[in-house]
């Protein structure tokens, strides 16, 4: 009788672990709040109408169609019973486990200011991306109908908070829409009227990259018309704007990319957590005092060789998932498990059309070549031939025509 | 100074009229409640996860990017002032016109039973299609987690109401999902458990087609596992099922395709309307007593050569739009306008994978060849090379793999 492996979360860590265990003697169950695996690095492109949800999301069932030992459950975990070795779901059912991998990911951290969440959505789920897309498209439509340029300025103002890769990618993308590719479709509003701000509390953007990449990123953003405001923590976000030290930026268009924290599910484990709510795990990713419960991905605090925590990036989550899948499959006893070691193959961020920054094993690239590489690598990691083909086709189209393919507001105009 | 043509509605009639007037001396304004033109004949494929919204919808602005005399306004018309020749919008603004084309389309008619609308959505907008898609995918996920086959049966039961092309296409599509293409992804539920009903009040389906096509359609549906119930008007629709004469079908999955009525906007015109709320128009599509206000598309009651009203089909709307655009462009006086004559090039309906029925100028086709033709013609009429390519690629994928590409539930699991 096979042992039960329960994987909570169908993101990079969870899917990678499940793939290693596919077609083995283990009964694998993946539990996720949505029915799909989301390729998060490209989520900002759904938010800026360059890709469809269907291009970057794959039903988890579809990934494991042929692997009969993998079951998928659409559900939300509400509790973990370490005594009886069961996971409790919101719908009242519970699932027994021999091995439990918790990879529930992260969410946006508003540093205690939960009221900001409504005015400044983050970008973690498809639902987020579609909400942001709607807001951006709607702001252009709204501005188009206002005759007085002063009155329409707020609708043509966009504030992205957070100078990490997500914030930089969003700001660059919005600059493309609002300053270039879509403006020919409008008759009243002009590209010069739009104002995009990238607001960062620290002294520089792209903090995880080494120079000269942050400098190049900054230059590219400025050339695209994004105003980068450094050393400016956000003080207040209201429905009609953002307050930073020295000015109030009037706009309904605020996007949050400034801080993440681990899923609150981690708090139910009763283990030590860091400032971001991530579980402090052992070298084999198990939780202290339990050799058969693991945390992986953005929700885990794992130290690298220098004693620093690994960042919440896709390749980190993927490697952790594979690592766990491997030793579970090999039936290694706790004492036999080697510690997890992350192999850093490089990081990259794109900054709008045909520009990116990349650091591959110390070789630093920027500009068009980096962007090509970024594109190819992201397509490679997409799950499923169909998705790869669609995204590739969509990008070719966009590059040639400057048009963004998916500019849809699905809800009807509400006055 | 150019004259103003206002077109209310960005559907087939509106877009066709605007295209004729593009790059002319007229100032054309298209007003629509959404920002996109929707290729409605393929909407059922979005509802059954075979196509993405972006594949069949095109931003109206994007269609007229180069035609500088065409302006697009996202808005809802609340009134038409014939005296001052102005159209009033919900946001308070008003637009002056010399020519007014009203093409607001149709909506579903619940024959006075408005409470049914919540339980049995129709299929007219992207929003409808996404709601239905979510319901179908969610029902499978829900059933998968219920151990007792009797308790899960309602979730695997689907009722489509209305035996016209829309109902037939939906029923056939659901049969594909629930009986074939997706079932391999599930571990507990089996294709044999699903039950699909097509309920029709009259004595036969596909009433607008001549024999032997309805007979062939019926046979195909039965072979696909759809149970067709004829002569059974719906008596009641509740949250948990449908009451027809003789039985109560327990299910949360009910889709309405049984009756349409014109947009309520038509009632504001103060002209005679038919049972379906359509405006009784003159032979040149103008309203009685006013030579410069027109109604076209599904909202117009236009008689054919036999005195019967033309059906609410895409080619009818397209031809009417072109007709109006032409004589407006030519500046023809009312007395010079020839009456509108519809040229029937044929009708078709698809019934699932690789089967369809078609009647082209009296030549009747069915089966695989009809389906190929249906596919090619629909792709031809899609607006935009990009959309044509995407839909073509999606269908090839689907045909080869039996997989449906867009099985996404975007909202998170709600317990």
């Amino acid at each position: 009788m096979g042992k039960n492996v329960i994987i909570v979360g169908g993101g990079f860590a969870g899917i990678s672990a499940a793939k290693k265990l596919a077609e083995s003697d283990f009964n694998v169950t993946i539990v996720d709040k949505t029915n799909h695996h989301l390729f998060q690095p490209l989520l900002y492109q759904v938010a800026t109408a360059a890709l469809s949800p269907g291009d970057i999301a794959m039903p988890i069932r579809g990934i494991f169609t042929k692997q009969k030992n993998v079951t998928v459950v659409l559900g939300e975990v509400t509790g973990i019973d370490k005594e009886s070795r069961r996971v409790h779901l919101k719908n009242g059912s519970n699932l027994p486990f021999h091995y439990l991998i918790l990879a529930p990911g992260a969410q946006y951290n508003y540093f205690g200011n939960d009221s900001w969440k409504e005015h400044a959505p983050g970008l973690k789920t498809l639902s987020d991306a579609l909400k942001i897309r709607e807001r951006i498209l709607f702001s252009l439509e709204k501005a188009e109908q206002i005759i007085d340029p002063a009155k329409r300025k707020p609708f043509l103002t966009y504030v992205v908070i957070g100078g990490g890769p997500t914030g930089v990618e969003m700001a660059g993308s919005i600059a493309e829409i609002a300053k270039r590719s879509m403006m020919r479709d409008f008759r009243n509003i002009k590209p010069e009227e739009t104002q995009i701000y990238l607001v960062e509390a620290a002294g520089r953007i792209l903090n995880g990259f080494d120079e000269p990449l942050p400098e190049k990123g900054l230059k590219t953003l400025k050339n695209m018309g994004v105003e980068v405001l450094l050393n400016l923590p956000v003080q207040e976000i209201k429905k009609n704007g953002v307050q930073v030290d020295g000015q109030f930026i009037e706009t309904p268009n605020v996007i949050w990319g400034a801080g993440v924290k681990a899923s609150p599910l981690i708090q139910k484990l009763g283990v030590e957590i860091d400032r971001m709510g991530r579980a402090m795990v052992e070298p084999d990713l198990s939780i202290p005092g339990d050799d058969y419960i693991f945390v992986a991905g953005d929700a885990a605090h794992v130290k690298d060789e220098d004693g620093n925590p690994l960042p919440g990036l896709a390749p980190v989550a993927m490697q952790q998932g594979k690592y766990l899948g491997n030793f579970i499959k090999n039936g290694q006893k706790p004492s036999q498990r080697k510690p997890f070691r992350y192999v850093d193959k490089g990081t990259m961020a794109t900054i709008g059309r045909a520009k990116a920054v990349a650091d591959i094993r110390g070789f630093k690239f920027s500009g068009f070549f980096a962007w090509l590489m970024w594109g190819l690598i992201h397509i490679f990691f997409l799950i499923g031939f169909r998705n790869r083909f669609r995204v590739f086709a969509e990008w070719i189209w966009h590059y040639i025509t400057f048009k963004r393919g998916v500019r849809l507001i699905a809800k009807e105009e509400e006055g």
Side-chain angles (χ1 to χ4, degrees), chain A residues 80-82 85 97-102 269 281 285-288 290-295 337:
Chain A
I80 298 142
D81 191 333
K82 296 191 210 176
R85 309 311 272 176
F97 64 86
H98 294 100
Y99 296 84
L100 174 60
I101 299 175
L102 291 159
L269 279 172
V281 294
L285 305 186
S286 62
I287 60 173
D290 197 321
D291 292 323
Y292 295 91
I293 296 179
F294 310 89
V295 182
R337 301 172 191 163

Side-chain angles (χ1 to χ4, degrees), chain A residues 102-402:
Chain A
L102 291 159
Q107 22 183 259
Y108 275 97
N109 184 357
Y110 292 86
F111 304 114
N113 302 295
D114 286 334
S115 62
W116 294 359
K117 187 173 176 181
E118 190 202 332
H119 310 307
L123 190 60
K124 267 283 161 194
T125 65
L126 272 185
S127 196
D128 291 339
L130 293 173
K131 198 191 308 179
I132 291 173
R133 179 179 84 181
E134 195 174 273
R135 205 172 274 207
I136 294 173
L137 294 178
F138 197 71
S139 69
L140 296 171
E141 293 287 346
K142 192 105 186 161
E144 172 79 345
Q145 294 188 46
I146 299 173
I147 312 283
D148 182 354
K151 286 208 172 80
R152 70 184 184 215
K153 186 146 188 61
F155 292 101
L156 295 172
T157 302
Y158 302 84
V159 176
V160 179
I161 299 173
T166 302
V168 166
E169 286 170 337
M170 276 297 309
S173 254
I174 295 173
E176 266 198 65
I177 298 176
K179 290 231 172 247
R180 228 188 327 195
S181 62
M182 277 171 50
M183 284 321 228
R184 291 167 303 166
D185 289 352
F186 291 88
R187 305 283 172 252
N188 299 327
I189 58 182
K190 301 279 171 289
E192 313 71 90
E193 293 183 61
T194 54
Q195 182 72 57
I196 302 140
Y197 296 97
L198 179 62
V199 176
E200 167 58 46
R204 69 170 194 168
I205 59 170
L206 295 174
N207 210 18
F209 289 73
D210 297 333
E211 290 294 357
L213 298 176
E215 194 57 43
K216 285 192 183 288
L218 191 63
K219 204 167 146 192
T220 304
L221 282 173
K222 283 183 167 170
N223 286 343
M224 295 181 75
V226 175
E227 195 168 327
V228 180
L229 306 176
L230 299 170
N231 295 306
L232 268 185
V234 166
Q235 294 163 332
E236 183 68 49
I237 302 178
K238 296 184 201 171
K239 188 171 180 179
N240 66 334
V242 181
Q243 178 73 43
V244 293
D245 187 32
Q247 61 177 134
F248 181 76
I249 306 172
E250 197 185 344
T251 171
N253 310 315
V254 186
I255 295 153
W256 185 265
V260 287
K261 58 180 180 182
S263 159
L265 179 61
I266 297 304
Q267 295 163 29
K268 295 187 193 290
L269 279 172
V271 300
E272 192 186 340
I273 57 178
D274 68 7
R275 283 185 315 123
M276 291 163 64
R278 298 183 295 187
M280 306 294 293
V281 294
E282 301 290 345
D284 66 351
L285 305 186
S286 62
I287 60 173
D290 197 321
D291 292 323
Y292 295 91
I293 296 179
F294 310 89
V295 182
D298 290 1
H301 179 121
V302 183
K303 296 205 188 297
D304 66 14
E305 285 150 338
D306 303 321
N308 299 317
L310 291 171
L313 296 174
V316 176
M318 280 192 251
Q319 287 186 24
Q320 291 176 353
K322 282 186 192 152
Y323 165 79
L324 288 173
N326 264 332
F327 76 60
I328 291 176
K329 189 168 184 178
N330 296 337
Q332 281 171 329
K333 293 191 181 47
S335 53
Q336 293 173 313
R337 301 172 191 163
K338 287 193 170 69
F340 172 73
R341 277 277 167 269
Y342 173 58
V343 179
D344 186 350
K345 294 176 181 153
T347 39
M348 15 176 59
T350 185
I351 313 174
R353 184 175 179 278
K355 293 264 189 307
V357 291
D359 186 342
I360 310 290
R361 296 188 177 270
F363 290 102
K364 298 172 181 30
F365 305 94
S366 59
F368 184 68
F369 180 71
W371 177 76
L372 268 187
M373 218 175 17
W374 174 92
L376 285 169
I377 288 173
H378 277 73
I379 285 184
F380 178 75
F381 279 105
L382 269 170
I383 286 184
F385 173 75
R386 189 188 146 274
N387 285 18
R388 288 191 194 117
F389 177 73
R390 286 175 61 127
V391 170
F392 178 70
E394 199 68 63
W395 285 349
I396 294 291
W397 180 264
H398 172 55
Y399 189 75
I400 293 172
T401 66
F402 277 87

